[in-house]
Amino acid sequence: MVEVAFITLGCPKNEVDTAAMKARVAASRYELSEDPRSADVVVVNTCSFITSAAEASIETILDIAGEHSGRLLVAGCLVNRYTAEQLAAELPEVDAFIAIEGEADILRVIEELTGEARGQQDSAACEVGASAYLMIADGCDRACSYCTIPAIRGPYRSKRPDELVAEARRLLAAGARELVLIAQDTTAYGHDLDGRHSLASLLTQLCDQCGAPWLRLMYLQPEGISDELIEVIARHPQIVRSLEIPLQHSSEQILRAMRRAGGRRQFTKLIARLRDRLGEVALRTTLIAGFPGETEADFEDMVEFVGEIGFDYVGVFSFSPEDGTVAAALPDQIDPVVALRRAQLLRDRADEIGWKKAAAHVGETTCVLIERYDEEEGCWFGRAPFQAPDIDGQVRIAADAGDDLIATIRPVLIQDALLYDLEGVIRDESA
């Protein structure tokens, strides 16, 4: 029996791609393995959004090649960015490369490499956790001057609403309690489909037809957050009041150079609208420090903006000049040391605010989606509505391993905070 293990690097969109490949393996004669060292085939699904991510992908590939004697397949963004031919010359340790658009053929590739027939596919499916990603579109039509994603993943392609409703139902039937909607730009959903489709209309269908306890929205580009979308969120309590809005900067001058819209004034108004209509809403954003042409005044404006808005979570990056992007050739490039210093200062300010906002939950009772039990820690871990998967901290819950809590949503009294992580106990629901 051929055993196949997967290693996934990068963003949630790669997690979705890996899940699709795993489902194909699970529906074949091949067997999924959790141990890359002993598996007959290891598939590394790579990230190459920025140079450091590509370097980390290559390092992982070489590490696996050094400790694994079976077949090694490399899939994902790295292959689309550099092509299989280029990578084959640099990475002879790899047996095959699979571009994103070719991942549906993974069984054929495994069969060719191992000589073992894939067998007749059946309806087997992979396990689904308490939270699952629902990728509503792939690709990107935006032309941000610093970004490689459109070249890697191609133009924006929305999935049909009926397909997404069916996929949401499948994930919920398999045990998911939270569906996390993702795309490069979720607010662009539907613009490429026939008829009147939008993120607002899709959310309405999902809420009315699927019965998901939690729906979470990620990657909301600010100019796409319409009054209609805000009203849909306000009307449906299952859409958690936690929104990720990648703003990237506050300076209009820098945003124009990034080929993005908006600025501090427009963003401040948008966030005021969200808070006015939605009340307590957790906000996360991403910001880039050290973009070409960024002055000290531009940077200080961004630091002030972060302090003024009081984001719950901020992902901070120093500018990375990526080959083939417009921004890499812009004049007035910032010294990388200066860019890193600015990024650290911005991160320090964001964390100062974020940690205080996390600590403000102490004494509150909030619903928590319980995801796993940790034998070593002797406790359960889950997430509150204001904590996105993998990035915004978690809630540690004192409870016995014998309690059947996995994939349940329970009221938890928050008793302590450590940076972004929280600790609490389950409240007696009968009290």
Side-chain angles (χ1 to χ4, degrees):
M1 180 66 68
V2 172
E3 294 188 348
V4 183
F6 286 83
I7 295 173
T8 306
L9 307 173
C11 70
K13 289 172 282 297
N14 275 9
E15 296 282 355
V16 173
D17 291 343
T18 294
M21 288 189 282
K22 279 186 171 182
R24 289 185 169 89
V25 171
S28 74
R29 286 182 56 197
Y30 307 137
E31 188 171 308
L32 288 170
S33 170
E34 296 298 321
D35 186 359
R37 292 168 298 181
S38 63
D40 301 290
V41 178
V42 175
V43 182
V44 182
N45 193 7
T46 58
C47 176
S48 65
F49 172 57
I50 57 177
T51 300
S52 60
E55 291 172 347
S57 292
I58 292 171
E59 183 177 345
T60 299
I61 292 166
L62 294 175
D63 286 346
I64 292 297
E67 61 184 25
H68 176 253
S69 59
R71 298 294 192 172
L72 178 57
L73 276 64
V74 169
C77 296
L78 193 71
V79 185
N80 284 66
R81 183 169 181 181
Y82 296 108
T83 77
E85 292 74 18
Q86 287 177 288
L87 292 171
E90 298 295 328
L91 295 168
E93 300 89 349
V94 177
D95 296 290
F97 296 91
I98 307 173
I100 294 169
E101 59 274 14
E103 288 172 353
D105 291 330
I106 186 169
L107 295 181
R108 176 186 58 78
V109 176
I110 294 173
E111 183 176 274
E112 290 174 355
L113 289 178
T114 64
E116 293 285 340
R118 72 193 87 169
Q120 182 68 38
Q121 286 188 258
D122 57 34
S123 59
C126 293
E127 291 185 7
V128 172
S131 178
Y133 290 108
L134 182 65
M135 190 158 73
I136 64 174
D138 202 357
C140 187
D141 290 340
R142 303 176 69 88
C144 299
S145 64
Y146 54 85
C147 187
T148 60
I149 292 298
I152 293 172
R153 287 193 168 262
Y156 198 92
R157 306 177 302 284
S158 300
K159 297 181 181 179
R160 299 290 308 178
D162 55 342
E163 295 175 6
L164 291 169
V165 169
E167 175 67 5
R169 286 173 171 167
R170 184 190 71 77
L171 292 169
L172 293 167
R177 302 283 283 162
E178 174 189 53
L179 299 181
V180 185
L181 275 63
I182 58 171
Q184 278 309 127
D185 176 0
T186 52
T187 50
Y189 175 79
H191 82 275
D192 56 325
L193 299 176
D194 295 332
R196 295 176 60 83
H197 298 288
S198 66
L199 179 60
S201 65
L202 174 64
L203 283 170
T204 300
Q205 286 182 265
L206 291 171
C207 289
D208 291 346
Q209 300 178 33
C210 296
W214 285 5
L215 287 173
R216 184 179 300 275
L217 300 176
M218 306 286 284
Y219 312 118
L220 299 165
Q221 295 296 341
E223 63 269 33
I225 302 177
S226 63
D227 288 338
E228 179 191 19
L229 177 60
I230 296 173
E231 285 304 311
V232 168
I233 296 171
R235 288 200 307 268
H236 295 93
Q238 61 265 59
I239 303 175
V240 297
R241 300 316 194 246
S242 176
L243 306 175
E244 183 188 50
I245 309 171
L247 301 178
Q248 311 305 7
H249 214 284
S250 62
S251 163
E252 289 190 17
Q253 169 193 330
I254 298 301
L255 286 163
R256 297 299 87 73
M258 289 179 172
R259 296 186 175 178
R260 293 179 62 85
R264 181 173 177 174
R265 180 174 57 84
Q266 297 96 316
F267 297 158
T268 300
K269 287 183 177 180
L270 169 62
I271 291 166
R273 281 167 51 213
L274 289 169
R275 286 173 169 163
D276 179 64
R277 188 66 185 92
L278 302 179
E280 288 293 325
V281 56
L283 297 174
R284 80 167 353 268
T285 192
T286 51
L287 298 169
I288 300 173
F291 192 84
E294 181 186 74
T295 64
E296 284 290 341
D298 292 327
F299 173 68
E300 289 299 329
D301 182 82
M302 185 160 53
V303 175
E304 290 176 4
F305 173 66
V306 167
E308 175 189 355
I309 297 299
F311 292 99
D312 295 78
Y313 310 97
V314 181
V316 178
F317 302 89
S318 61
F319 172 70
S320 175
E322 299 301 314
D323 290 342
T325 62
V326 171
L330 287 176
D332 302 319
Q333 296 280 326
I334 305 298
D335 185 311
V337 174
V338 173
L340 285 169
R341 176 183 61 81
R342 290 179 180 177
Q344 187 59 58
L345 289 171
L346 183 61
R347 185 174 291 109
D348 290 344
R349 180 62 176 133
D351 284 343
E352 177 187 3
I353 296 166
W355 294 341
K356 287 181 180 177
K357 299 200 78 168
H361 292 293
V362 173
E364 296 178 353
T365 296
T366 185
C367 291
V368 173
L369 173 61
I370 301 177
E371 297 182 294
R372 63 186 176 88
Y373 183 80
D374 189 298
E375 294 285 351
E376 291 187 9
E377 296 280 343
C379 64
W380 291 86
F381 284 92
R383 286 180 296 105
F386 47 81
Q387 294 172 316
D390 302 321
I391 49 178
D392 291 340
Q394 56 191 343
V395 181
R396 175 188 172 122
I397 304 160
D400 187 79
D403 296 338
D404 187 15
L405 300 177
I406 194 71
T408 63
I409 297 174
R410 300 297 179 93
V412 173
L413 171 63
I414 304 300
Q415 298 176 313
D416 199 3
L418 176 62
L419 306 181
Y420 290 108
D421 290 336
L422 304 173
E423 293 187 2
V425 294
I426 296 175
R427 293 293 299 265
D428 185 355
E429 296 176 84
S430 63

